């Protein structure tokens, strides 16, 4: 399914705990969920991706930062490039060489997320890190499993329909096809979990 996208920018890395702290301190973001496997409130996790954030939290942060969440199509373009690759790094089998995933245990054996940018061999064609694994990423669109059967061919974004919002990319306890750049999932925009984070985007 080919679409045309106007030019856009997307963050090189997922938003980190250290970055999200500043938004909370400014009174523009709510605190994320805490507890086992959550990164908020841990002194050694400043460079890890923020997790335990809802779609609303992610939207608020990007707005505070002068950006927005990427559309689903923008996210996939940044992850796959122009050649239809299965994963951001190409078509090679997914492994801990390329992504923070489930292999020899969750999180490549560490049972947690890793600092952003820890898997440089998994970088996308446009230089975006961790677009597979570590944490899933919220995007703008409302989730509809059949959306791409009837979506517009130019700058598609689903802004109507069901109650869920799309997340993409897989996490530190997923493996195999769940980390494919084309894999899609959806959750309530109020849902917060250990596997959910985000990055921001903008248009020139």
């Amino acid at each position: 399914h080919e679409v045309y996208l106007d030019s856009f920018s997307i963050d090189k890395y997922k938003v980190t705990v250290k970055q999200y702290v500043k938004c909370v301190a400014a009174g523009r973001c709510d605190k994320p969920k805490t507890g086992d496997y959550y990164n908020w409130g841990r002194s050694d996790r400043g460079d890890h991706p923020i997790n335990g954030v809802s779609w609303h939290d992610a939207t608020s942060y990007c707005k505070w930062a002068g950006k927005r969440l990427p559309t689903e199509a923008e996210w996939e373009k940044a992850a796959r490039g122009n050649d239809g690759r299965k994963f951001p790094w190409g078509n090679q089998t997914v492994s801990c060489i390329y992504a923070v995933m489930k292999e020899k245990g969750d999180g490549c054996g560490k049972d947690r997320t890793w600092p952003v940018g820890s898997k440089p061999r998994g970088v996308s064609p446009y230089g975006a890190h961790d677009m597979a694994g570590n944490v899933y990423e919220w995007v703008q669109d409302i989730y509809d499993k059949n959306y791409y059967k009837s979506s517009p061919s130019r700058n598609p974004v689903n802004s109507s329909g069901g109650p869920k919002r799309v997340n993409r990319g897989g996490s530190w306890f997923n493996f195999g096809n769940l980390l494919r750049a084309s894999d899609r999932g959806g959750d309530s925009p109020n849902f917060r979990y250990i596997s959910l984070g985000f990055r921001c985007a903008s248009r020139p």
Side-chain angles (χ1 to χ4, degrees), residues 1-6 8 68-77 139-142 144 146-160 166 168 184 203:
H1 179 85
E2 291 187 359
V3 301
Y4 174 87
L5 296 174
D6 292 335
F8 66 96
R68 57 170 174 78
L69 285 175
T71 68
E72 184 175 12
E74 288 172 342
W75 188 96
E76 187 166 328
K77 175 66 183 297
V139 297
Q140 277 189 42
D141 299 52
I142 291 173
D144 176 354
N146 297 315
Y147 177 63
Y148 284 102
K149 292 181 178 179
S150 59
S151 67
S153 60
R154 189 182 183 97
N155 298 317
V157 53
N158 188 20
S159 56
S160 62
V166 176
R168 304 290 298 259
R184 310 172 66 230
R203 284 245 169 93

Side-chain angles (χ1 to χ4, degrees), residues 151-190:
S151 67
S153 60
R154 189 182 183 97
N155 298 317
V157 53
N158 188 20
S159 56
S160 62
K164 296 181 178 181
R165 298 298 189 275
V166 176
N167 49 65
R168 304 290 298 259
S171 79
W172 55 279
F173 54 81
N174 295 130
F175 58 92
N177 285 339
L178 289 174
L179 277 78
R180 286 185 64 160
S182 59
D183 189 68
R184 310 172 66 230
D187 287 295
S188 163
N190 297 312

Side-chain angles (χ1 to χ4, degrees), residues 43-173:
S43 60
D44 61 338
R45 302 283 178 92
D47 293 328
H48 285 238
I50 191 65
N51 62 359
V53 287
S54 69
W55 182 87
H56 295 296
D57 296 331
T59 299
S60 293
Y61 176 91
C62 290
K63 184 176 180 180
W64 170 78
K67 304 176 186 180
R68 57 170 174 78
L69 285 175
T71 68
E72 184 175 12
E74 288 172 342
W75 188 96
E76 187 166 328
K77 175 66 183 297
R80 300 185 76 184
N82 288 320
D83 56 5
R85 55 185 58 196
K86 292 181 179 178
F87 303 102
W89 54 85
N91 296 322
Q92 299 92 330
T93 301
V94 62
S95 75
C96 281
I97 293 173
Y98 305 108
V100 182
M101 57 172 287
K102 186 180 183 70
E103 184 179 70
K104 297 180 180 178
D106 293 338
C108 298
K110 293 190 177 181
D111 203 30
R112 57 164 172 75
T113 60
W114 288 38
V116 300
S118 292
K119 300 291 182 180
R121 291 183 64 179
V123 70
S124 85
Y126 297 104
H129 289 251
D130 298 316
M131 297 203 81
N134 227 357
V135 291
Y136 277 97
E137 300 180 31
W138 289 113
V139 297
Q140 277 189 42
D141 299 52
I142 291 173
Y143 179 75
D144 176 354
K145 68 179 181 179
N146 297 315
Y147 177 63
Y148 284 102
K149 292 181 178 179
S150 59
S151 67
S153 60
R154 189 182 183 97
N155 298 317
V157 53
N158 188 20
S159 56
S160 62
K164 296 181 178 181
R165 298 298 189 275
V166 176
N167 49 65
R168 304 290 298 259
S171 79
W172 55 279
F173 54 81

